[in-house]
Amino acid sequence: MLCGTTGHTTFEAHQALCTADSAIRVWSLETRLCLALLTSHYSAVTSLAFSADGHTMLSSGRDKICTVWDLRSCQATRTVPVFESVEAVVLLPEEPVPALGVKNSGLHFLTAGDQGILRVWEAASGQCVYTQPQPPGPGRELTHCSLARGAGLLLSVTADHNLLLYEARSLQLRKQFAGYNEEVLDVRFLGPKDSHVVVASNSPCLKVFELQTLACQILHGHTDTVLALDVFRKGWLFASCAKDQSVRIWRMNKAGQVDCVAQGSGHTHSVGTISCSRLKDSFLVTGSQDCTVKLWPLPEALLSQSTDAGGSPALLQAQTTQRCHDKDINSVAISPNDKLLATGSQDRTAKLWSLPQCRLLGVFSGHRRGLWCVQFSPMDQVLATASADGTVKLWALQDFSCLKTFEGHDASVLKVAFVNRGTQLLSSGSDGLVKLWTIKNNECVRTLDAHEDKVWGLHCSRLDDHALTGGSDSRVILWKDVTEAEQAEEQAKREEQLVKQQELDNLLHERRYLRALGLAISLDRPHTVLTVIQAIRRDPEACEKLEATVLRLRRDQKEALLRFCVTWNTNSRHCHEAQAVLGVLLRHEAPEELLAYEGVRAVLEALLPYTERHFQRLSRTLQAATFLDFLWHHMKLPSLPAAPRPSET
C-alpha cells in the first residue's frame, strides 16, 4: 500500500508517503532524497492529513491509533487510540462546531473505519467528542472519507461501494449514491404513479431510486442477501424477503422516504419468493427453500394508521403454514381476487391453492424441468408458468390443462408477466433476452437484447406502458412501450405516401415531368420512378423530353436514378427504360463527372453483364427479323387461276 500527500507551507517542495511497512517517509521533490523516516504505527498506515499551515500532519492506521506529527521537528506530538481500524482521517477546520461537539478552535479530526461510523476527536485531549449513530445492517464499513471545505460537504465511501454525502457541520445525511449493484435479483415499481423503483441486488441492502432525478435511498434492515420483492396494490407499501429467513414490509411516504414498518420470521431456510395481496393491502404470502408457504396478515395498526418512522417495526405473525412441494419453492402468486394461490417449484410442477386455508385444488404438470415463475392473468382464468426447460406455458384454472406453449428462449425462462390487458406475455431468461409474445397466435413479436447475463427481475408498470428489468450483469433497464408511437408514425408515413402519390399522378397528368421525376426519386421507390420514365417515353417527343428532364436533375438525384437503373436492367421488360436513361447520361455527362458519382463503379459492374445479355438478345432478334424479311421478298408464289365471270356461268 502506498499513499502520499504534499505539504502546503514548510514542506511545499516535499512529499510525505506512507507504505505497507508502517513507516512514513518524507521526500524532497527537488533532490529526490528521503529527509525523514517517521515511525509510530505498528501496521499499515492508511491515510495522511495536513493542517492548513502545513506544520501539522495526522496519520491513521489499522493498528487502531492516530498520530499527530510536528512536521518542523518530524516528531510525534500525540498518539490517540481510536479503538478501530481506521481507513481514512480528515482534519476539521479549526473553528467551533457545536453540533459535532467541537467547542473550541483547537485541532480536531474525524475518523472513518471498520465500525462504519464517523467519529470526531479532540487532538489535545485524545477524547471522542462526537459519535455518529450506529447504522443498521452489515456492509457499512467505511473505506474512504474526504472533506470538501468550500462546499461544506463530507463524502464517505462504504465497503459495498456506496457514496454517502453529509453536511460537514452537522453530519446530516444529504444524498446517497448507489455504487456497484453486483447481481440484480429483483426489481419493482413503487408509488401510485410508478415514480420510484426498488432494486434488490446481491446485498442485504435495498436501493430505492426516484426515476425523474435518480436520487437514491439505501435501505438497511435485512442481515443477508435480499432475494425477492413485491408491491401492494396502492404502491406505498412493498415487501421483501431474504436469505436471513425473514420478511419485511416497507412504507414510502409522499416525500419519497422509505422506512421499515413491519418484520417477521418463521421459515427455517432462505425465503426466496413473496407475493402481496391484490384487492386490499391485507396480507402477503412467502415461499421458502424449506418447501413451505406462509400467509402473513398485516397488523391492524399498520393498516389503520401510518407507522412512526422513528418507531420500531411491527411484528408479523404467520397465520397459515403449508408444506406445498417436495423441493424448493421458487415462485408464489396471488390471484387478482385474493382467493387463489399458485406455487411453482423445482419439482417441475405448479399447484393451485385456495386462500386463506391453503387447500390444494389441483396440480399443473407438463414441464420437463423446475419452474422459476408463476403468474395469474389479470383478465382470464389462466395461469402462466416459466420453466428451466426454456418454455412458457399457459394453463386453464378450471381443468388444469395446458392451453399453449411458447418456445423461443435458448435457456431457462426466469420471469413471466402479462401485459396489454392479458393479451400479451413478457418473458425474461438466462440467455439475457426479454421477449414479447402475442398469446392469440403464439408469436414472438419482439426480442429485446440489452442484458449480457441472466435477467432475474421483470416488472411492468400499472399502465403497462413501461417495463423494468434487472440482471446478473448489474444493469437495471427501464423499457418504454412504443407500440402506439410506432403505429402513429406508420400511419403518418402512409398518409404522406398517399399525398405524394396523388401529387405525382397530378404532375404526370399535367406533363410536368421534371418535378414528377424528382418527387418519385424522393420517395425512394424504383417502381414509381420507372412509371414516370415510362410516361415520359410515351410522349410524342420522348427523346427530347427524357433528355431535358434527366439533365436538369440534381447530382444526388442522378446517382439515385443510376441505382434504380441497375434494378430495371435485370428485367427484359424494363431494360429499355434503363438503357434510355443510361444513354442520356453517357451522351451528355463527361466521363470524369460520371466517375465522381457515389458508387458508380459498383453500378457499372452490375449494369455490364445484363446489358451484354440484352444486346445479344436484340442481335438475335434482329438477325431473325432480317432473315424473315429476306424470305418475304424472295418468295415466289404461283399465279392463281382467274375467277369465271357471272355471265359465262
Side-chain angles (χ1 to χ4, degrees):
M1 176 181 179
L2 180 68
C3 61
T5 308
T6 303
H8 297 282
T9 304
T10 305
F11 284 82
E12 60 184 8
H14 302 154
Q15 186 180 53
L17 297 174
C18 55
T19 60
D21 62 358
S22 72
I24 303 171
R25 290 174 171 82
V26 181
W27 297 82
S28 171
L29 296 179
E30 296 176 351
T31 63
R32 301 182 184 181
L33 297 176
C34 181
L35 303 179
L37 182 66
L38 311 181
T39 56
S40 172
H41 293 277
Y42 297 97
S43 66
V45 179
T46 54
S47 68
L48 301 175
F50 292 84
S51 62
D53 59 9
H55 296 159
T56 304
M57 181 181 72
L58 186 68
S59 63
S60 66
R62 297 195 179 116
D63 53 4
K64 302 183 180 181
I65 63 171
C66 290
T67 304
V68 182
W69 302 86
D70 184 351
L71 293 180
R72 289 168 292 190
S73 62
C74 293
Q75 296 294 324
T77 59
R78 185 161 189 89
T79 298
V80 180
V82 295
F83 310 108
E84 70 167 331
S85 296
V86 179
E87 294 295 331
V89 63
V90 173
L91 274 173
L92 300 178
E94 296 185 15
E95 58 185 28
V97 185
L100 300 182
V102 180
K103 299 178 180 179
N104 54 57
S105 58
L107 189 65
H108 292 74
F109 61 91
L110 179 143
T111 58
D114 60 359
Q115 292 185 11
I117 57 176
L118 300 174
R119 293 191 291 178
V120 179
W121 302 79
E122 184 180 28
S125 63
Q127 297 295 318
C128 179
V129 297
Y130 175 83
T131 302
Q132 187 185 35
Q134 178 70 43
R140 297 285 292 187
E141 297 85 356
L142 300 177
T143 59
H144 298 281
C145 193
S146 180
L147 176 65
R149 296 176 185 267
L153 299 174
L154 182 77
L155 180 68
S156 65
V157 184
T158 65
D160 51 3
H161 309 288
N162 297 322
L163 306 180
L164 309 178
L165 196 62
Y166 296 93
E167 293 284 352
R169 299 185 65 84
S170 62
L171 289 188
Q172 293 295 319
L173 185 61
R174 183 171 172 179
K175 283 188 178 181
Q176 301 178 76
F177 301 90
Y180 181 54
N181 286 323
E182 296 190 53
E183 190 172 11
V184 178
L185 301 180
D186 209 353
V187 289
R188 286 293 186 275
F189 284 101
L190 286 183
K193 297 182 179 180
D194 298 325
S195 58
H196 294 67
V197 297
V198 57
V199 178
S201 57
N202 195 13
S203 165
C205 305
L206 294 173
K207 301 178 181 71
V208 177
F209 297 91
E210 185 181 0
L211 286 177
Q212 203 162 24
T213 64
L214 289 183
C216 176
Q217 183 179 356
I218 301 173
L219 309 180
H220 300 274
H222 287 285
T223 58
D224 207 339
T225 302
V226 180
L227 297 176
L229 304 166
D230 201 16
V231 183
F232 285 94
R233 181 177 62 91
K234 295 181 180 179
W236 297 112
L237 288 174
F238 69 96
S240 61
C241 58
K243 286 184 178 181
D244 59 8
Q245 306 172 16
S246 71
V247 56
R248 285 179 176 264
I249 298 177
W250 310 78
R251 172 180 279 127
M252 184 176 70
N253 60 24
K254 293 183 179 179
Q257 296 298 311
V258 181
D259 296 286
C260 181
V261 294
Q263 62 177 344
S265 59
H267 285 285
T268 58
H269 287 80
S270 298
V271 186
T273 179
I274 193 167
S275 182
C276 299
S277 55
R278 303 305 178 196
L279 282 180
K280 297 180 180 180
D281 298 349
S282 55
F283 68 94
L284 57 90
V285 174
T286 57
S288 169
Q289 289 183 0
D290 60 12
C291 305
T292 66
V293 297
K294 290 182 181 289
L295 187 145
W296 310 78
L298 270 62
E300 291 294 332
L302 188 64
L303 300 175
S304 60
Q305 60 185 5
S306 60
T307 307
D308 183 14
S312 59
L315 184 63
L316 295 176
Q317 295 286 348
Q319 173 183 317
T320 305
T321 301
Q322 177 68 46
R323 182 179 176 87
C324 296
H325 293 270
D326 297 328
K327 292 185 179 181
D328 298 356
I329 298 175
N330 292 331
S331 180
V332 295
I334 298 174
S335 64
N337 61 3
D338 287 348
K339 293 183 178 180
L340 298 174
L341 171 70
T343 59
S345 170
Q346 283 294 108
D347 63 7
R348 299 181 293 180
T349 65
K351 295 184 179 181
L352 188 67
W353 311 79
S354 63
L355 290 177
Q357 302 85 4
C358 280
R359 180 172 57 86
L360 181 63
L361 299 178
V363 180
F364 304 94
S365 300
H367 282 291
R368 300 186 303 275
R369 299 185 67 180
L371 275 65
W372 282 111
C373 185
V374 293
Q375 283 293 332
F376 284 97
S377 169
M379 307 299 292
D380 304 312
Q381 295 187 10
V382 171
L383 181 74
T385 58
S387 169
D389 60 12
T391 65
V392 176
K393 290 181 180 290
L394 293 185
W395 309 83
L397 299 183
Q398 294 89 347
D399 56 4
F400 310 104
S401 62
C402 180
L403 302 176
K404 288 180 179 289
T405 299
F406 301 86
E407 299 180 355
H409 285 279
D410 295 329
S412 301
V413 185
L414 303 176
K415 281 289 191 294
V416 65
F418 285 91
V419 294
N420 197 12
R421 297 184 178 181
T423 60
Q424 291 181 307
L425 285 173
L426 203 60
S427 64
S428 64
S430 296
D431 51 10
L433 301 178
V434 178
K435 289 181 177 288
L436 180 64
W437 309 82
T438 299
I439 294 177
K440 185 176 181 180
N441 55 13
N442 279 48
E443 181 184 359
C444 177
V445 296
R446 186 67 61 89
T447 297
L448 309 174
D449 185 7
H451 288 279
E452 298 176 355
D453 208 338
K454 302 179 182 69
V455 184
W456 289 107
L458 172 65
H459 191 225
C460 299
S461 62
R462 297 171 183 271
L463 300 178
D464 281 347
D465 57 345
H466 288 83
L468 196 65
T469 58
S472 297
D473 56 1
S474 307
R475 294 180 182 176
V476 177
I477 300 177
L478 180 65
W479 304 88
K480 182 180 179 181
D481 184 1
V482 295
T483 303
E484 293 183 0
E486 288 182 348
Q487 290 175 349
E489 183 180 355
E490 186 66 27
Q491 179 65 23
K493 286 183 178 179
R494 285 198 296 267
E495 293 176 357
E496 183 182 2
Q497 293 286 345
L498 288 175
V499 171
K500 288 186 176 181
Q501 185 64 46
Q502 183 61 48
E503 183 182 358
L504 181 63
D505 293 340
N506 295 337
L507 292 173
L508 291 176
H509 181 71
E510 298 170 3
R511 297 188 177 183
R512 298 167 63 183
Y513 296 127
L514 177 63
R515 189 170 177 184
L517 188 58
L519 180 60
I521 292 174
S522 68
L523 293 174
D524 196 25
R525 285 160 39 183
H527 184 71
T528 305
V529 179
L530 176 64
T531 304
V532 177
I533 298 294
Q534 290 172 340
I536 296 174
R537 297 187 73 235
R538 284 195 295 268
D539 193 277
E541 300 177 356
C543 184
E544 294 79 4
K545 292 283 187 181
L546 184 60
E547 287 185 2
T549 304
V550 171
L551 293 178
R552 291 172 63 186
L553 293 175
R554 299 191 310 271
R555 174 171 169 174
D556 60 316
Q557 293 175 326
K558 293 178 182 177
E559 292 173 352
L561 196 57
L562 267 179
R563 291 195 299 270
F564 296 159
C565 286
V566 173
T567 304
W568 306 336
N569 201 45
T570 59
N571 192 321
S572 60
R573 289 182 299 175
H574 305 147
C575 66
H576 303 290
E577 287 77 12
Q579 294 297 323
V581 172
L582 283 174
V584 171
L585 292 175
L586 291 174
R587 285 194 304 269
H588 295 86
E589 293 284 339
E592 296 79 10
E593 294 181 4
L594 286 175
L595 290 174
Y597 283 8
E598 182 181 357
V600 68
R601 297 184 183 277
V603 169
L604 293 177
E605 290 177 0
L607 286 171
L608 282 174
Y610 284 96
T611 301
E612 291 178 358
R613 185 181 302 177
H614 297 321
F615 180 75
Q616 293 172 2
R617 178 172 54 82
L618 290 175
S619 298
R620 290 193 300 269
T621 304
L622 181 60
Q623 290 176 0
T626 304
F627 181 69
L628 182 62
D629 185 64
F630 173 80
L631 289 179
W632 175 256
H633 285 90
H634 292 79
M635 186 181 297
K636 292 184 178 180
L637 296 175
S639 57
L640 297 175
R645 294 180 180 181
S647 59
E648 295 178 354
T649 59

